[in-house]
Amino acid sequence: MNQKRELPKHYNPEEIEKKWRQFWLEEKIYHIEKPRKEKKFSIVLPPPNVTGSLHMGHAWNITLQDVAARYKRMEGYDVVWVPGFDHAGIATQYVVEKQLKEEGKTRFDLGREQMLKRIWEWVPVSRNAIRTQLQYLGGSVDWDRERFTMDEGFSRAVRENFHRLYEDGLIYRGRYIVNWCPKDRTALSDLEVEYEEEEGKLWYIKYPVVDENLKETGEYITVATTRPETMLGDTAVAVHPEDPRYKHLIGKKLKLPLVEWERKDLDGNTVDRYIPVVADEHVKMDFGTGAVKITPAHDPNDFEIGKRHNLPMVSVMDETAHMNENAGEYQGLDRYVARKQILEKLKEEGLLEKEEDIVHHVGHCYRCKTVVEPMVSLQWFVKTSDDRLRKPATEVVEKDIIKFLPEFWKKHYLHWMYNLRDWCISRQIWWGHRIPVWYCEKCGHINVFSEKSFEDNFQKLVFNIYANQKMEQIFSPTEVIDYLKQPNFVHPEMTNAEFYEKFVFLEKLDFLHDENLLKELIDKTYPKVVLLKQPKEGTIIGFPPHAIYTLWANGWIPEEFTAEDVYEAFNQHKDLLTYLYNKVLNGIKRLEVFDSVETLQEWLEAHSSGKGCKNNRILLHKKGDKFTVIPELVEEIKYFLPLSCEKCGSFSLKWDEDVLDTWFSSALWPFSVFGWPEITKEDIKEAEKFIKENP
């Protein structure tokens, strides 16, 4: 007998939506494995930051995209809507640093490795919360295509893009004035600085004029400033060349108030306390006193004037906005404490003319709200001022190919583009895409490496794992195999090996699944690094035996070798061996053993008989007049991913510790999620042709 089922009296959206939401996910009804070329439509979800959860702005944005996706499906298109998440460099690190602060710790207490581990533990918490919200909203995204801006494929694309732009001369390293956050200790882009209207003061300070003998003449030039603490770094005062008040003083010198100590510029040169009066047309005669103090290391406008007049740059603050050695008696003081004491001293010496109350706009870090300090710093930049980048983006708006609504934003955009400054892309934090630059410690050459530096997918894979900081430069095959077997961070239903095939290389690769083949390729491709068994008594087997065993393991000396064989091979591979064992041993000791054939012969004799060795160690066997290694002494053989200087060939390279601005990677989002850089120019041309033929 059929039982009657009663409808509930009230609609329960939570129960109904949960049921169908689960059905949609399990059945993967929004997944299209291979969209039809002739009728496909794609959207990439602007990736939310993994810093918390979604807000109403996200909900509105996602709704509009969902409407577009569902509408195109109704028209018969194969719709691919790709979801994903942004690692949000400074923002995410800031969230975790706040957690550490509650524990009474800082990131510097943890160190880079542990801090990154802590962030990787936090990211899934936020990511899963956002994913759940997206599913509750009913967004019809394809979860099988989910991506993350620090996944294996995306990281690869970022390095590739950096490499290409660097080769094209559109990325460079140089000293430039940047926005510096003293709390986060990192440079910020202009977009990451928020200006707030604040009450402040304008202080008028008198700079005494001196004659040729550096004696005060009794005349002064008065300058006005909101940041008197920076005056300790002044290297000039600028006036307009036609200003009748100061025309007679152009080329004369002024005595910089308070400074009685020696200052150094950024190149280490001594800078005089007597500073010139320079003429510059950018100075406004009708603004303030018509005279401007010039501190090239601490003000964007002063930086430009300093470049025009070849003025030295004197930095007076460290990265925490405390006064440095160029601040003399104020060294070690916080910038605002120093300001107070400087003003008191100026009053005492009769050099503070007056002060005024003002309201002005002050830049703050967009995350921690700390007042930003302009500083000259050695950073990496994208040359956005280059016409190769600026011109196309300007012309499409000038010619109304791209239109702004409301139209008045066109004027703002073009003004911004006409005055575009180069974009600082390096950040002094730990969370993010580490800059793919290695500095040669021998010749100073800058080396940029990416996967394009390697010949085949196997070598690209090993470099990718290292550059993603998933293993060290000296590694074992087991580390690579274990990593490839692990569940992928973004798609835990896949292994990392499967993720590489589907999203990184876009093809089936046998070595990703065949352990023996992978070990064979590693053994054939990379130099071996021998680690010897250490004695139980606590003493250390040091550099000479390790170097000899590594020469043997790589076939650089015969199975039975002489002192001459070792001497010749060592000198051929000295740079590599010393670099390797500086990384895996407690420094290089007894390098003098390799000074000559005679010293080597003596060492080999002593360590094959035990006589002449203070610890009576036998590390080699002697056969006639030749020597052999003792395989039983080998603890482990690892491998080395060789990165050598493109200029001098040295292996002594140091990886840049900074990371890239999040926007450098986020801008690649629409390209990388669909296969770039594996997608070739031919693929793009074919797509463009198809679009023209099927408008």
Side-chain angles (χ1 to χ4, degrees):
M1 182 177 179
N2 293 331
Q3 291 183 339
K4 291 184 178 179
R5 184 182 170 208
E6 292 187 13
L7 290 172
K9 294 181 179 179
H10 302 285
Y11 172 66
N12 186 339
E14 184 175 345
E15 182 180 324
I16 299 297
E17 290 176 7
K18 181 179 179 181
K19 170 188 171 182
W20 289 110
R21 179 169 63 248
Q22 195 63 33
F23 175 79
W24 294 344
L25 292 172
E26 289 174 356
E27 296 298 318
K28 300 183 179 184
I29 62 172
Y30 301 121
H31 174 63
I32 303 290
E33 185 63 32
K34 291 184 179 179
R36 292 168 294 163
K37 181 185 292 187
E38 63 278 4
K39 203 159 188 181
K40 61 182 177 181
F41 180 80
S42 61
I43 305 177
V44 287
L45 180 76
N49 292 344
V50 285
T51 50
S53 55
L54 301 182
H55 50 65
M56 289 301 292
H58 288 112
W60 176 76
N61 187 316
I62 290 161
T63 299
L64 292 178
Q65 292 174 67
D66 200 27
V67 169
R70 292 175 185 272
Y71 180 78
K72 296 305 287 186
R73 287 192 192 98
M74 291 170 66
E75 287 192 319
Y77 283 83
D78 287 344
V79 174
V80 174
W81 185 11
V82 181
F85 307 90
D86 197 304
H87 67 279
I90 292 176
T92 301
Q93 180 164 311
Y94 179 66
V95 169
V96 177
E97 285 194 89
K98 280 175 66 178
Q99 297 171 2
L100 289 175
K101 187 177 180 181
E102 293 174 2
E103 301 170 17
K105 298 177 184 176
T106 69
R107 64 179 163 123
F108 301 103
D109 294 325
L110 268 66
R112 186 176 196 133
E113 185 178 343
Q114 289 303 312
M115 180 65 180
L116 289 177
K117 183 180 178 183
R118 181 77 176 254
I119 296 174
W120 277 111
E121 290 170 355
W122 153 254
V123 167
V125 176
S126 174
R127 190 265 313 267
N128 293 343
I130 294 170
R131 185 191 279 149
T132 301
Q133 286 179 293
L134 272 167
Q135 292 170 355
Y136 268 65
L137 283 168
S140 57
V141 299
D142 184 350
W143 287 108
D144 280 14
R145 294 179 183 269
E146 180 186 341
R147 298 296 297 273
F148 179 49
T149 57
M150 275 183 66
D151 70 32
E152 290 79 359
F154 213 86
S155 297
R156 180 189 184 206
V158 168
R159 287 188 289 272
E160 177 87 3
N161 190 45
F162 186 100
H163 201 163
R164 292 189 186 192
L165 290 172
Y166 181 77
E167 287 181 333
D168 289 341
L170 291 170
I171 282 183
Y172 67 94
R173 189 180 188 230
R175 283 193 182 124
Y176 205 79
I177 193 84
V178 298
N179 306 298
W180 184 267
C181 175
K183 184 175 180 182
D184 292 333
R185 300 192 207 180
T186 183
L188 303 172
S189 72
D190 292 344
L191 294 174
E192 294 167 326
V193 178
E194 295 177 346
Y195 289 89
E196 298 175 10
E197 199 173 76
E198 293 183 359
E199 293 181 354
K201 289 190 181 291
L202 191 62
W203 289 277
Y204 291 77
I205 303 169
K206 297 192 290 185
Y207 285 51
V209 179
V210 297
D211 60 20
E212 293 81 1
N213 299 314
L214 304 180
K215 301 295 183 184
E216 294 185 29
T217 65
E219 192 175 2
Y220 298 90
I221 289 184
T222 300
V223 301
T225 180
T226 59
R227 299 159 65 218
E229 64 278 8
T230 64
M231 67 175 289
L232 305 180
D234 286 358
T235 54
V237 166
V239 298
H240 193 278
E242 301 303 322
D243 194 326
R245 295 169 295 177
Y246 305 117
K247 213 169 184 180
H248 67 292
L249 293 175
I250 294 171
K252 302 288 186 181
K253 288 198 172 183
L254 307 175
K255 180 181 177 182
L256 182 59
L258 306 187
V259 176
E260 302 286 349
W261 51 86
E262 186 180 84
R263 302 180 299 163
K264 300 277 189 181
D265 68 9
L266 296 177
D267 294 316
N269 302 311
T270 301
V271 178
D272 203 338
R273 66 170 298 195
Y274 296 97
I275 60 177
V277 179
V278 299
D280 195 286
E281 292 184 350
H282 284 74
V283 177
K284 297 178 181 178
M285 288 188 280
D286 57 351
F287 185 79
T289 67
V292 182
K293 62 185 282 298
I294 305 300
T295 322
H298 289 282
D299 184 274
N301 294 323
D302 294 1
F303 178 79
E304 297 299 333
I305 291 175
K307 283 202 301 184
R308 287 196 290 273
H309 296 276
N310 198 29
L311 297 173
M313 291 186 284
V314 176
S315 171
V316 295
M317 293 182 209
D318 65 17
E319 62 181 16
T320 65
H322 284 72
M323 310 306 286
N324 65 19
E325 61 278 5
N326 282 325
E329 64 187 81
Y330 305 100
Q331 182 176 355
L333 297 178
D334 174 80
R335 54 183 163 169
Y336 298 123
V337 175
R339 175 185 295 181
K340 184 178 179 181
Q341 292 188 15
I342 287 168
L343 290 169
E344 289 172 356
K345 191 72 176 286
L346 288 169
K347 283 180 185 177
E348 288 176 16
E349 297 191 6
L351 296 174
L352 186 61
E353 189 172 286
K354 63 177 179 175
E355 62 180 47
E356 289 179 357
D357 292 327
I358 61 167
V359 175
H360 60 152
H361 287 83
V362 180
H364 294 74
C365 173
Y366 79 118
R367 279 292 156 193
C368 67
K369 308 307 177 187
T370 302
V371 174
V372 167
E373 187 65 45
M375 285 189 184
V376 168
S377 182
L378 192 59
Q379 303 284 350
W380 283 95
F381 296 86
V382 171
K383 198 182 287 185
T384 44
S385 58
D386 192 295
D387 276 347
R388 287 175 290 172
L389 295 178
R390 179 170 59 179
K391 194 174 180 181
T394 305
E395 286 182 344
V396 291
V397 175
E398 289 173 332
K399 296 176 181 178
D400 284 334
I401 297 170
I402 291 178
K403 296 179 183 291
F404 278 88
L405 295 173
E407 192 174 353
F408 72 82
W409 284 110
K410 174 181 177 179
K411 178 182 176 182
H412 289 285
Y413 173 80
L414 290 175
H415 175 77
W416 185 65
M417 292 299 292
Y418 295 150
N419 297 280
L420 202 57
R421 293 196 304 170
D422 290 349
W423 170 26
C424 177
I425 56 171
S426 45
R427 297 290 180 270
Q428 290 66 50
I429 58 174
W430 295 340
W431 174 245
H433 295 281
R434 196 161 169 181
I435 292 176
V437 168
W438 283 258
Y439 305 101
C440 181
E441 296 183 304
K442 290 206 169 179
C443 73
H445 182 68
I446 293 174
N447 299 273
V448 178
F449 297 116
S450 69
E451 280 77 351
K452 70 178 291 192
S453 308
F454 301 90
E455 296 178 359
D456 55 42
N457 284 337
F458 165 69
Q459 292 181 56
K460 291 175 181 180
L461 167 78
V462 175
F463 175 77
N464 201 73
I465 297 172
Y466 161 64
N468 288 345
Q469 302 177 80
K470 303 301 183 185
M471 72 177 191
E472 297 295 328
Q473 195 176 0
I474 297 170
F475 64 95
S476 69
T478 303
E479 291 176 78
V480 177
I481 292 166
D482 287 349
Y483 170 74
L484 292 173
K485 286 181 176 179
Q486 289 172 9
N488 182 259
F489 178 78
V490 182
H491 285 279
E493 74 279 4
M494 299 181 189
T495 62
N496 284 323
E498 291 168 334
F499 186 90
Y500 268 104
E501 285 184 327
K502 182 168 183 178
F503 291 108
V504 182
F505 296 122
L506 312 183
E507 63 175 300
K508 187 82 174 172
L509 297 169
D510 292 338
F511 62 78
L512 285 171
H513 306 284
D514 187 331
E515 292 184 17
N516 291 327
L517 176 58
L518 189 62
K519 288 177 182 177
E520 181 184 332
L521 288 170
I522 289 173
D523 193 66
K524 286 197 309 187
T525 308
Y526 301 107
K528 299 176 180 65
V529 184
V530 175
L531 300 177
L532 297 175
K533 294 176 181 176
Q534 295 296 335
K536 294 180 180 178
E537 64 267 23
T539 57
I540 296 172
I541 293 181
F543 176 63
H546 276 94
I548 292 169
Y549 271 70
T550 293
L551 290 171
W552 160 77
N554 286 287
W556 297 333
I557 57 176
E559 290 288 330
E560 297 180 2
F561 51 86
T562 64
E564 288 87 349
D565 294 328
V566 175
Y567 180 77
E568 184 180 332
F570 177 81
N571 282 293
Q572 186 178 350
H573 299 282
K574 180 179 178 180
D575 182 79
L576 172 60
L577 291 167
T578 52
Y579 177 72
L580 290 177
Y581 288 110
N582 264 316
K583 293 178 78 72
V584 298
L585 295 176
N586 188 23
I588 300 294
K589 295 177 182 178
R590 300 217 62 196
L591 192 59
E592 70 277 4
V593 167
F594 299 94
D595 282 350
S596 67
V597 174
E598 290 73 26
T599 53
L600 259 170
Q601 182 71 35
E602 183 182 335
W603 189 93
L604 293 169
E605 294 279 0
H607 289 81
S608 61
S609 65
K611 297 175 183 178
C613 170
K614 66 179 181 179
N615 295 309
N616 298 316
R617 289 184 187 143
I618 295 179
L619 302 175
L620 302 162
H621 287 319
K622 187 175 182 184
K623 297 177 69 175
D625 60 347
K626 295 186 178 180
F627 302 88
T628 60
V629 302
I630 305 172
E632 292 78 17
L633 292 180
V634 176
E635 177 77 40
E636 183 180 10
I637 292 180
K638 289 197 170 188
Y639 294 85
F640 173 62
L641 170 60
L643 300 178
S644 59
C645 179
E646 298 161 328
K647 185 176 181 181
C648 73
S650 173
F651 292 98
S652 296
L653 305 182
K654 183 179 180 182
W655 194 357
D656 196 308
E657 294 189 353
D658 290 353
V659 301
L660 288 161
D661 176 15
T662 303
W663 282 99
F664 187 89
S665 55
S666 300
L668 292 172
W669 183 248
F671 309 101
S672 183
V673 296
F674 288 120
W676 190 87
E678 282 303 312
I679 298 298
T680 64
K681 289 182 180 179
E682 288 69 30
D683 295 320
I684 295 170
K685 286 179 181 178
E686 186 181 338
E688 289 174 343
K689 180 183 177 183
F690 177 79
I691 291 169
K692 286 180 182 178
E693 294 173 353
N694 299 272

